[in-house]
Amino acid sequence: MSYSSLPEDVLEHVFSFVQSDKDRNVISLVCKSWYEIERWCRRRIFVGNCYAVSPRMAIRRFPEVRSVELKGKPHFADFNLVPEGWGGYVYPWIRAMAGGYPWLEELKLKRMVVTDESLELIAKSLKNFKVLVLSSCEGFSTHGLAAIAADCKNLKELDLWESDVEDPSGNWLSKFPDTCTSLVSLNIACLGSEVSFSALERLVVRCPNLRTLRLNRAVPLEKLAHLLRQAPQLVELGTGTYSADLRPDIFSNLAGAFSGCKELKSLSGFWDVVPAYLPAVYSVCSGLTTLNLSYATIQSPDLIKLVSQCPKLQCLWVLDYIEDSGLEALAATCKDLRELRVFPSEPFGDEPNVSLTEQGLVLVSEGCPKLESVLYFCRRMSNDALVTIAKNRPSMIRFRLCIIDPQTPDYLTLEPLDVGFGAIVQHCKDLRRLSLSGLLTDRVFEYIGTYAKKLEMLSVAFAGESDLGLHHVLSGCDSLRKLEIMDCPFGDKALLANAAKLETMRSLWMSSCSVSFEACKLLGQKMPRLNVEVIDESGPPDSRPELPVKKLYIYRTVTGRRIDMPGFVWNVGEDSALRLS
Amino acid sequence: MEALGLNMGFEETELRLGLPGNRVRSEGEGSRKRGFSETVDLKLNLSSKDTSEKVKSFQKEKHPLPRATDPPAKPPAKTQVVGWPPVRSFRKNMLGVVQKSSGEESDMAGGNNAAFVKVSMDGAPYLRKVDLRMYNTYKDLYDALGKMFSSFTIGNCGSQGMKDFMNESKLMDLLNGSDYVPTYEDKDGDWMLVGDVPWGMFVESCKRLRIVKGTEAIGLGNSKGHGEMQEQKVSSE
């Protein structure tokens, strides 16, 4: 029996077991009938750049989608490199989906501008809406959240991960009707102002399936115990502020409440933490797999005491207060560790304020056999350390190193760190994401182009010497999807010589480099399936053609230039006339 | 018009920068190879002359970056570069309660390592954000604001308009003159004129900025103390 003679509903049933986008895309290429069957039964789509395709096109091809994930601004927007008003508006998508996907259940947005109007439209039009994740989004207030709370009768998940929410006073939590009992996950950690505690408590009490609760800083520690006793089934908890007057009754109440939470696997929050209250969580430490202490301004000894009790820890986010000694303890205890992120407590200080060096990372790489994902801010590094780390952990997948001072050399030899990062890409054959820092010449890019064949995302700053560096990356990295570069002497030659490569990538960001406006224009004219956008807040870039463009964002798209560009963004495209605001 | 081949062979898709109006025609293998080897030849020079000149010209505002061959030395002046180190603003602002070793009391707003505030301008369709700690004086701030909002204030970019916005004193005039007045919301929620209090005090108390049309600024409160810098005298009530 040949595959092509299988009845449609059998094929559809088989396809339903295939969830990955990549595999689904491959299925759709087999033949026309498989393309047709597949597109009618695809239930989730991921659009990594909201401007790569129009909502209408997406809806037309996949009419029965239940879950949509969209990303908007480029990653460097996180570090204020993208001016406000650049774009990433979700409203056109919501408007299209209100008509095209009336049964949409899930919407996950990252780095997008979401207005209250958008949220109200979701609440009004999508009758089966269940999951809203707004990650690093902005543009909305608690008014919009109130609409979601009030009208989404089957809401399961509301996650405002690290979003910037306007907080006019308003009791939006109490807009959840008494009939709402379906909540499974609520993350309001980013909200700046108080929420009504009684509304929160009532909500928690009537939602027996609540598994994730991330509170905001305004929720006082004295009230946490009370909440926990109402929700002992919680798997993931984010505390509010973790400080209170030192009173034994508060402590014992809190400790007792925590000991009742037998399912707790993830802890976060810990703003303003008072060390004396940390032991209250000790009873749950043995089961913890995720610990986010990145707001906990406590010193190494207290961190060591905590971390030493978490042998099952898989993911730790912490400030550099942990120091090398704390990382040594981590390496000794947490043999299951997969992901480590160490954030800087004083990123703008001139001098190190903590004793955290490359040694800490080396120790963790030695002691934690499953370590695969690292984000590490420090002030010094050596090639030796990087080579050691690379050899210890060839299964590394994400390696993001930020040596705080730009162009810091190997502190032992004063050489560039080319060899160290070269070892990383050579040994870690499955490396998917890499961020470079320190003193780096074109050589490091030669290593990357030669060895980093699975690399999908590369972040570069203050590195390289010439276009050759960029050329190595663009011509060598077969899997590259996202490249973001700031303050590097890369110019026209490498960009133009690798123009076709850009169509195989999601996007390229270059700021404070040496790309000329002429080159941008040429690229835009020759490559109709790329949007070449120049960002310049001081005026039209062709008014000063002798200067390099300040910021450049190039991305592939099937819909041509976008229509929502603000006055400081120029699409340098087919018609060489510039758009002016 | 040169058609770009469908097979992604390097040669077909190589673009070269010619003078405007000059089409790059394929003159045969020779010219293409030359383009590529030109790139490869960069290996022999430490950096192409063009590139290093361009790097110098647009980086004159920042501290000079040491080249790979220079003995590594700390850059002379420590200016903050936008986007570096790559720390998200909410992390910078959240860590405002930095525990100094002396254990001094610090309130939530004090001791911030960054001070991001939203900036809106009447008539402009969208907000901006600035980190007040990037600037040392009111003039620095006005310069930055002027650059940010010049694309709105200059109407049609005719040649005169172009000359205007490239003229920095014109930008200052926009902000200092009667057309637009910078105001800010302070910690107590009151709207004040920018420039009345010493710079440091302003940075600590400013929650957001709003650039209003001059006529609307009449009636705003003056500074509560006796500020040294009185850029505008506005009668209250």
Side-chain angles (χ1 to χ4, degrees), chain A residues 78-81 84-85 136 162 164 166 217 271 294-295 297 317 319 343-348 350 377 402-407 409 414 441 461-462 465 468 471 486-487 489 492 496-497 499-500 512-514 518-519 522-523 526-527 537-540 543 548 566-568 581, chain B residues 1-2 4 8 10 13-17 36 38-40 42-43 46-47 51 54-55 58-59 62 65-66 68 72 74 78 80-92 94-95 97-100 108 113 116 118 126-129 147-148 150-151 157 162 165-166 208:
Chain A
D78 283 357
F79 315 125
N80 300 296
L81 282 167
E84 301 270 316
S136 305
E162 295 181 357
D164 185 2
E166 292 282 348
R217 195 175 188 171
W271 286 284
S294 59
Y295 301 110
T297 49
W317 292 18
L319 287 169
F343 295 96
S345 51
E346 284 181 26
F348 301 111
D350 280 349
F377 282 80
C402 179
I403 307 165
I404 288 176
D405 253 5
Q407 304 189 314
L414 299 185
T441 72
F462 303 104
E465 305 153 282
L468 202 50
H471 177 68
M486 57 178 278
D487 293 83
D492 301 341
L496 296 176
S512 302
C513 296
S514 309
E518 278 303 307
L522 184 60
L523 202 56
K526 295 280 187 174
M527 309 292 292
E537 294 181 89
S538 54
S543 61
F568 53 83
S581 61
Chain B
M1 175 98 165
E2 220 173 76
L4 294 174
M8 305 290 238
F10 176 82
T13 55
E14 179 190 308
L15 298 177
R16 249 160 294 143
L17 203 50
F36 179 67
E38 204 180 16
T39 315
V40 170
L42 290 174
K43 230 195 268 203
L46 280 173
S47 62
T51 317
K54 282 191 179 148
V55 166
F58 77 86
Q59 286 190 334
K62 304 182 192 168
L65 299 174
K74 274 236 178 300
K78 263 290 176 109
Q80 254 184 52
V81 178
V82 176
W84 192 268
V87 177
R88 298 195 55 191
S89 34
F90 70 82
R91 282 199 184 278
K92 292 184 217 166
M94 289 258 175
L95 289 175
V97 195
V98 169
Q99 317 290 28
K100 295 285 178 200
M108 304 277 259
N113 283 323
F116 282 93
K118 292 195 176 154
Y126 29 83
L127 298 180
R128 301 305 178 87
K129 261 193 208 153
K147 288 200 183 104
M148 255 185 232
S150 61
S151 46
C157 277
M162 208 72 63
F165 83 67
M166 280 165 65
R208 63 188 295 163

Side-chain angles (χ1 to χ4, degrees), chain A residues 289 311-316 330-341 361-375 389-399 428 430-432:
Chain A
T289 56
K312 291 202 181 143
L313 207 58
Q314 295 179 16
C315 176
L316 175 66
L330 181 71
T333 313
C334 303
K335 297 304 184 185
D336 226 13
L337 195 73
R338 325 257 158 122
E339 176 175 331
L340 173 67
R341 297 196 191 190
L361 187 56
V362 170
L363 289 168
V364 176
S365 78
E366 276 164 6
C368 302
K370 298 195 187 159
L371 187 70
E372 61 178 23
S373 178
V374 166
L375 169 64
I389 292 165
K391 288 183 172 164
N392 285 341
R393 297 277 67 84
S395 51
M396 190 78 72
I397 293 179
R398 283 169 225 105
F399 190 74
C428 308
D430 290 324
L431 195 70
R432 293 204 304 253

Side-chain angles (χ1 to χ4, degrees), chain A residues 80 84 164 166, chain B residues 89 93 112 114-120 127-135 141 145 148-149 183-187 191 194 199 202-210:
Chain A
N80 300 296
E84 301 270 316
D164 185 2
E166 292 282 348
Chain B
S89 34
N93 284 343
N112 273 355
F116 282 93
V117 297
K118 292 195 176 154
V119 187
S120 62
L127 298 180
R128 301 305 178 87
K129 261 193 208 153
V130 291
D131 175 4
L132 293 177
R133 289 190 195 274
M134 296 275 289
Y135 313 106
L141 176 63
L145 291 178
M148 255 185 232
F149 288 100
T183 65
Y184 71 101
E185 184 183 8
D186 72 2
K187 273 198 275 213
W191 284 91
V194 170
W199 172 257
F202 166 70
V203 171
E204 291 298 325
S205 61
C206 173
K207 270 176 42 188
R208 63 188 295 163
L209 280 163
R210 190 176 148 215

Side-chain angles (χ1 to χ4, degrees), chain A residues 464-507:
Chain A
E465 305 153 282
S466 75
D467 272 59
L468 202 50
L470 180 57
H471 177 68
H472 283 310
V473 171
L474 289 177
S475 59
C477 296
D478 297 334
S479 311
L480 196 64
R481 293 188 297 114
K482 289 180 280 182
L483 179 57
E484 48 184 24
I485 302 172
M486 57 178 278
D487 293 83
C488 295
F490 299 148
D492 301 341
K493 290 198 180 73
L495 202 56
L496 296 176
N498 293 281
K501 172 73 173 175
L502 299 178
E503 263 190 30
T504 70
M505 292 165 54
R506 182 187 299 173
S507 65

